[in-house]
Amino acid sequence: MTSDQALSISLGLQGPCVIARLTGDFDFGSAAEVRDRVTKALDLTQPPMLVIDMQAVSVCDSSGLSVLVYLHKAVTASGGKLLLSGLNGRCKHLFAITALDKFFDIRTTAELAIAELSEEGNSPPFTG
């Protein structure tokens, strides 16, 4: 079931966070572009703090899920953190049936995710 809505990717930087806002169909046709563009943007912050806002994603298939898992592994391997936000009904259901809602940290809005990561990014380093 697809809606044939081309995906657009909006990338930005807010405080210590890279924000990727996805709009449209996150599927086989758009997955490689998302992976490549977001991976390049991760170099903007160290450690990488990434919010992927999926509020306007109409369709997400296994290719989209695969990219999200790839990005999660890349971010965490670099000592960073990835938060997803804005999962709508369809995406929320997909994450629940694949148990990815247990794998990813998900926030209701991008603003909440950005605030959380900004707070973490401004924490003083541990000197224990």
Side-chain angles (χ1 to χ4, degrees), residues 53-96:
D53 183 16
M54 297 182 57
Q55 182 176 1
V57 171
S58 48
V59 172
C60 182
D61 70 6
S62 60
S63 299
L65 294 178
S66 177
V67 168
L68 293 175
V69 170
Y70 168 84
L71 291 170
H72 183 275
K73 288 180 179 183
V75 167
T76 56
S78 297
K81 189 165 184 181
L82 180 149
L83 296 178
L84 298 179
S85 68
L87 295 182
N88 60 36
R90 270 186 178 172
C91 288
K92 189 181 281 190
H93 178 71
L94 178 62
F95 275 70

Side-chain angles (χ1 to χ4, degrees), residues 55 84-87 106-110 112:
Q55 182 176 1
L84 298 179
S85 68
L87 295 182
I106 302 169
R107 301 298 177 266
T108 53
T109 67
L112 286 173

Side-chain angles (χ1 to χ4, degrees), residues 4 17-18 20 40 42 65-66 80 85 103 106 108 111 113:
D4 294 327
C17 305
V18 172
K40 286 178 187 168
L42 292 178
L65 294 178
S66 177
S85 68
F103 178 76
I106 302 169
T108 53
E111 291 71 25

Side-chain angles (χ1 to χ4, degrees), residues 32-49:
E33 181 183 5
V34 172
R35 183 192 64 230
D36 295 345
R37 288 186 60 195
V38 175
T39 299
K40 286 178 187 168
L42 292 178
D43 291 336
L44 297 173
T45 62
Q46 288 303 319
M49 299 290 200

